[in-house]
């Protein structure tokens, strides 16, 4: 693989064609690379015809399913290194190469449909987190993209939001981007997230790419097609993260507009950053410190693909506890916790209170509702009833939707398209997107939003508010109990998805047929629940990438105890049960009823391991 390092200024975006105006010739520095890739495009086309002709229907076999099972909703994820008990390596170099090549071909097909011709060479950027498998798999990803005729730009260590922004920032403006990451999952895993200028791909689009890749995979295993390029792909090295960090700094400076020190609006603030040895360390040294903040005492900023201290995850109890300790020890104004690829975040206020889950949604909602009164907030259906009341008390509307960050974001985009003003889309896991930020789930941008509010509060004389920014959510009502249980699906991995659907649908059927007295399904059009939800009467409802339902439970005295959300996991072969109750002991009461009257009687326990539920109810 030939690598060329070039400053961003040397990589100006091509000029878009306008009616009656031809595209200007590319810069001379591109000429050799473009000739190389033109040859690659021709060989890729002939190879694809060979694979398609030779395989026919055989691509639907078990070999092809190896690739299809790597799809996890809108992402691709798999085991890249040995070390997981009971899990073989399935995200192999060949798998990554054919998926990258298929993504490149899909991009070309999409442009041909829009413009009627291939146009100029597609430009695709690639970033990765610090996982040990990243370097090796990046090399084959570059090769796959080059085989599809794409020019490849290597961003090196990057964040997922920065990958998308590489398609937007004017010095780059790539056609598409891929981030290699498995988020908060163990170091043995890895994966791919895909972006175009319009945002992340949908589950259906990724499914189509994986189907195409499955045919290539089977063909390569059979020795058909897959000939070499004849020369290594040319890969341009670019420094995207510096430009992305400057983008965040500029936002803070412009929106704070500090009256005495515009360029260093964070002077006098102490902020703790816990990057968990993922990609988030840049936020401390390249954003906060350059704006004047003191980040002394920050945790695990250096990237380490083994994640030796704790998993980078704002939901992780150890991550939040360590950050809380550092905030209190330093007397910091704020603590920040990022996940591995920085598309999720959580914070700790100056009183040491952890702000994640419903609390983080409430905080962002309070800030945004002050800017956009009456806006709708979309969350997943695991959000509590207290959050609904919090949003409505501030004049907002709460739309509860399917679990899955792309589901929540796409729902918000759909509502806006239908004329329903929707500025906030957040999942309880920490994925959060704002309309003002391209509907992008960007953990760093969410923290930027909070930091701007923190500075404004001090300038307005509200710095003494208990908990700092945490004081904005002091009236949030939280459930008495909240429990997550998982049930592994036993048997062949290839059957796990269908088995998961069967179990979730059986729960719905049991309630509808009256076999579970006391349980009432929450169902409203295309949404998961009814309270606070806008009826989805869109002519083109969003595709379902995983099956899930939420149901309320009433005891014998018709007293509401809480609700259960059952869903087929898109990341692992299991079923997740979220239980939330407004009374102590309510979660156990619901779990007992669910276990005895559904899991043991419906036959679901024959292919689902219910031991975690059984342990909880005893």
């Amino acid at each position: 693989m030939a690598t060329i390092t070039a400053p961003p200024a040397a990589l100006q975006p091509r000029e878009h064609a306008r009616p009656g105006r031809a595209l200007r010739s590319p810069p001379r520095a591109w000429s050799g690379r473009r000739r190389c890739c033109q040859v690659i495009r021709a060989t890729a086309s002939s190879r694809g015809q060979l694979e398609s002709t030779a395989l026919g229907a055989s691509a639907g076999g078990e070999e092809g399913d190896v690739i299809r099972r790597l799809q996890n909703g809108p992402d691709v994820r798999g085991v890249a290194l040995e070390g997981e008990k009971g899990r073989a390596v399935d995200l192999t170099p060949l798998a990554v190469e054919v998926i990258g090549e298929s993504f490149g071909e899909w991009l070309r097909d999409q442009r041909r449909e829009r413009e009627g011709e291939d146009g100029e060479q597609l430009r695709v950027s690639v970033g990765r987190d610090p996982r040990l498998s990243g370097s090796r798999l990046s090399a084959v990803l570059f090769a796959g993209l080059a085989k599809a005729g794409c020019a490849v730009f290597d961003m090196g260590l990057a964040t997922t939001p920065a990958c998308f922004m590489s398609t937007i920032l004017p010095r780059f403006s790539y056609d598409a981007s891929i981030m290699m990451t498995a988020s908060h999952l163990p170091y043995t895993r890895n994966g791919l997230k895909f972006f175009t200028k319009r945002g992340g791909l949908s589950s259906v689009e990724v499914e189509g790419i994986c189907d195409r890749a499955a045919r290539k995979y089977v063909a390569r295993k059979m020795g058909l097609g897959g000939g070499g390029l004849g020369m290594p792909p040319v890969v341009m090295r670019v420094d995207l993260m510096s430009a992305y960090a400057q983008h965040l700094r500029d936002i803070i400076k412009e929106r704070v507009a500090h009256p005495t020190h515009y360029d260093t609006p964070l002077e006098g603030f102490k902020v703790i950053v816990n990057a968990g040895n993922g990609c988030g360390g840049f936020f401390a040294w390249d954003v906060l410190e350059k704006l004047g903040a003191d980040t002394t005492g920050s945790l695990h900023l250096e990237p380490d693909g083994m994640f030796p201290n704790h998993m980078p995850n704002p939901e992780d109890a150890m991550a939040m506890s360590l950050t809380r300790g550092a905030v209190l020890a330093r007397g910091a104004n704020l603590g920040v916790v990022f996940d591995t690829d920085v598309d999720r975040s959580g914070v700790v206020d100056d009183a040491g209170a952890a702000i994640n889950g419903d609390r983080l949604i409430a905080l962002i909602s309070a800030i945004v509702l002050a800017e956009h009164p009456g806006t709708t907030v979309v969350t997943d259906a695991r959000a509590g009833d207290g959050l609904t009341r919090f949003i409505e008390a501030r004049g907002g509307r709460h739309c509860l939707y399917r679990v899955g960050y792309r589901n929540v974001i796409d729902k918000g985009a759909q509502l806006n398209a239908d004329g329903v003003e929707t500025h906030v889309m957040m999942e309880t896991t920490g994925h959060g997107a704002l309309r003002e930020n391209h509907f992008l789930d960007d953990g760093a941008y969410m923290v930027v939003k909070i930091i701007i509010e923190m500075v404004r509060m001090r300038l307005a004389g509200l710095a003494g508010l208990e908990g700092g920014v945490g004081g904005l959510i002091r009236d949030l009502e939280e459930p008495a109990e909240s429990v997550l249980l998982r049930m592994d699906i036993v048997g062949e991995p290839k059957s796990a998805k269908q088995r998961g659907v069967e179990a979730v649908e059986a729960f719905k059927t049991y309630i509808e047929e009256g076999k579970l007295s006391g349980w009432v399904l929450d169902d409203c059009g295309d949404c998961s629940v009814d309270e606070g939800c806008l009826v989805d009467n869109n002519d083109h409802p969003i595709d379902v990438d995983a099956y899930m339902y939420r149901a309320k439970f009433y005891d014998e005295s018709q007293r509401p105890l809480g609700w259960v959300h059952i869903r087929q996991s898109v990341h692992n072969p299991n079923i997740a049960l979220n239980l939330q109750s407004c009374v102590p002991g309510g979660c156990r009461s619901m779990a007992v009823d669910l276990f005895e009257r559904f899991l043991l009687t419906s036959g679901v326990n024959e292919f689902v391991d219910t031991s975690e539920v059984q342990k909880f109810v005893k």
Side-chain angles (χ1 to χ4, degrees):
M1 176 181 70
T3 302
I4 300 174
T5 303
L11 304 175
Q12 295 295 330
R14 63 174 178 269
E15 185 175 346
H16 294 282
R18 297 175 183 172
R21 181 180 179 184
L23 286 170
R24 65 184 180 186
S25 299
R28 292 181 61 84
W30 284 65
S31 57
R33 184 170 71 261
R34 288 182 56 76
R35 285 196 296 271
C36 167
C37 291
Q38 286 168 353
V39 173
I40 292 169
R41 183 184 295 133
T43 59
S45 176
S46 60
R47 180 174 57 257
Q49 293 173 1
L50 171 63
E51 292 168 349
S52 178
T53 302
L55 280 171
S58 66
E62 291 189 11
E63 288 280 12
D65 288 341
V66 170
I67 300 296
R68 295 185 181 93
R69 284 196 296 271
L70 292 173
Q71 182 189 357
N72 286 266
D75 307 332
V76 165
R77 287 185 183 177
V79 180
L81 295 175
E82 294 182 356
E84 283 195 50
K85 185 178 180 180
R87 291 290 299 267
V89 172
D90 52 9
L91 193 70
T92 61
L94 177 57
V96 172
E97 181 178 336
V98 296
I99 291 172
E101 184 178 353
S102 299
F103 177 63
E105 292 176 352
W106 177 84
L107 289 172
R108 189 180 62 219
D109 292 346
Q110 292 291 304
R111 185 166 67 181
R112 188 180 296 125
E113 289 180 9
R114 291 193 312 268
E115 303 176 8
E117 58 183 5
D118 283 345
E120 289 195 355
Q121 186 180 31
L122 289 162
R123 304 158 71 236
V124 181
S125 63
V126 177
R128 60 182 174 85
D129 73 16
R131 292 170 192 274
L132 303 183
S133 59
S135 296
R136 180 177 59 130
L137 294 181
S138 290
V140 293
L141 180 59
F142 298 156
L145 289 167
K147 285 180 181 179
C150 299
V152 183
F153 297 82
D154 178 16
M155 297 186 294
L157 189 71
T159 70
T160 292
C163 281
F164 169 71
M165 291 305 296
S166 75
T167 71
I168 300 295
L169 292 175
R171 287 190 291 166
F172 302 89
S173 194
Y174 301 129
D175 296 291
S177 185
I178 298 177
M179 176 65 181
M180 183 172 289
T181 182
S183 188
H184 63 284
L185 296 179
Y187 76 94
T188 51
R189 306 282 183 95
N190 217 325
L192 303 171
K193 295 184 178 182
F194 307 93
F195 298 94
T196 64
K197 290 180 181 293
R198 61 177 173 80
L201 268 61
S202 69
S203 297
V204 172
E205 289 169 329
V206 175
E207 181 180 4
I209 290 168
C210 287
D211 280 341
R212 188 191 298 243
R215 292 192 293 271
K216 293 181 181 296
Y217 182 81
V218 176
R220 308 286 164 86
K221 298 284 279 190
M222 294 172 61
L224 301 174
L229 292 172
M231 62 183 72
V234 175
V235 178
M236 298 289 292
R237 289 296 304 270
V238 294
D239 181 11
L240 184 280
M241 288 305 296
S242 293
Y244 173 67
Q246 180 181 340
H247 167 70
L248 296 180
R249 294 197 306 269
D250 289 344
I251 290 172
I252 294 174
K253 288 192 290 187
E254 291 168 6
R255 296 186 186 175
V256 169
H258 201 286
T260 59
H261 36 92
Y262 180 89
D263 289 325
T264 55
L266 300 187
E267 283 186 15
F269 286 93
K270 297 179 181 179
V271 182
I272 298 294
V273 176
N274 184 349
N277 301 113
C279 300
F282 84 99
F283 195 76
W285 57 66
D286 213 14
V287 178
L288 299 179
E289 290 179 7
K290 290 186 177 180
L291 294 176
D294 179 358
T295 63
T296 305
S298 289
L299 305 168
H300 320 315
L301 300 182
E302 294 299 326
D304 186 331
M306 290 294 292
F307 310 120
N309 295 289
H310 57 74
M311 285 312 300
N313 185 356
E315 294 184 283
D316 184 78
M318 180 177 290
M320 297 305 288
S321 177
L322 290 173
T323 307
R324 178 181 186 275
V327 166
L328 295 177
R330 285 286 301 161
N333 304 96
L334 191 72
V336 178
V337 180
F338 289 124
D339 75 338
T340 311
D341 58 326
V342 196
D343 59 359
R344 295 188 298 136
S345 59
V347 298
V348 174
D349 69 15
D350 62 9
I355 301 178
N356 52 11
D358 280 10
R359 293 180 178 182
L360 184 63
I361 299 174
L363 177 56
I364 293 295
S365 297
I367 294 171
V368 174
L369 278 164
E371 300 170 342
H372 304 282
T375 192
T376 293
V377 176
V378 182
T379 73
D380 63 272
R382 294 170 297 188
D385 297 337
L387 179 62
T388 299
R389 291 189 288 271
F390 180 90
I391 292 170
E392 291 177 346
R394 284 156 178 76
R397 303 182 71 180
H398 187 193
C399 174
L400 290 138
Y401 201 62
R402 299 190 192 103
V403 172
Y405 74 96
R406 281 255 51 101
N407 294 332
V408 171
I409 295 172
D410 289 347
K411 178 63 174 176
Q414 182 190 68
L415 289 172
N416 277 289
D418 290 344
V420 180
E421 185 178 345
T422 306
H423 285 272
V424 182
M425 296 128 272
M426 292 194 71
E427 223 192 358
T428 49
T429 58
H431 277 290
L434 299 175
R435 191 173 83 171
E436 69 187 49
N437 190 40
H438 312 284
F439 297 96
L440 173 65
D441 51 322
D442 185 342
Y445 190 92
M446 286 296 175
V447 174
V448 162
K449 196 79 176 171
I450 294 169
I451 286 174
I452 291 170
E453 185 66 20
M454 178 180 70
V455 180
R456 286 175 174 172
M457 289 172 64
R458 174 174 289 186
L459 291 173
L462 300 176
L465 188 66
E466 183 180 355
V469 292
L472 298 176
I473 59 170
R474 60 182 177 274
D475 59 332
L476 173 66
E477 302 171 37
E478 300 191 72
E481 295 179 341
S482 185
V483 176
L484 169 62
L485 303 172
R486 291 191 183 274
M487 302 183 295
D488 290 333
I489 300 172
V490 299
E492 291 292 324
K494 64 181 180 181
S495 304
K497 185 173 183 178
Q498 183 56 39
R499 288 295 199 182
V501 172
E502 290 175 13
V504 173
E505 288 296 317
F507 175 68
K508 176 190 177 185
T509 300
Y510 250 56
I511 295 176
E512 289 179 333
E513 293 180 351
K515 297 178 181 178
L516 283 174
S517 57
W519 291 92
V520 178
L521 271 178
D522 281 338
D523 190 14
C524 177
D526 204 38
C527 298
S528 302
V529 298
D530 56 4
E531 289 189 359
C533 181
L534 301 173
V535 177
D536 189 350
N537 56 8
N538 193 282
D539 291 336
H540 303 285
I542 299 170
D543 295 301
V544 176
D545 56 6
Y547 285 82
M548 60 193 75
Y549 294 100
R550 196 173 103 164
K552 293 179 180 177
F553 180 66
Y554 298 83
D555 64 14
E556 295 177 354
S557 302
Q558 295 300 303
R559 180 182 59 154
L561 288 188
W563 50 258
V564 169
H565 186 280
I566 181 171
R567 75 185 187 279
Q568 165 200 18
S569 173
V570 297
H571 297 311
N572 291 293
N574 63 48
I575 294 169
L577 286 173
N578 285 89
L579 301 91
Q580 193 170 110
S581 178
C582 54
V583 297
C587 286
R588 184 181 180 279
S589 296
M590 290 188 291
V592 167
D593 198 81
L594 193 71
F595 181 72
E596 294 179 350
R597 294 204 295 142
F598 171 63
L599 294 177
L600 295 183
T601 62
S602 64
V604 167
N605 62 321
E606 296 178 6
F607 58 88
V608 170
D609 181 1
T610 62
S611 57
E612 190 169 326
V613 180
Q614 187 173 6
K615 182 180 178 180
F616 176 69
V617 301
K618 286 187 176 180

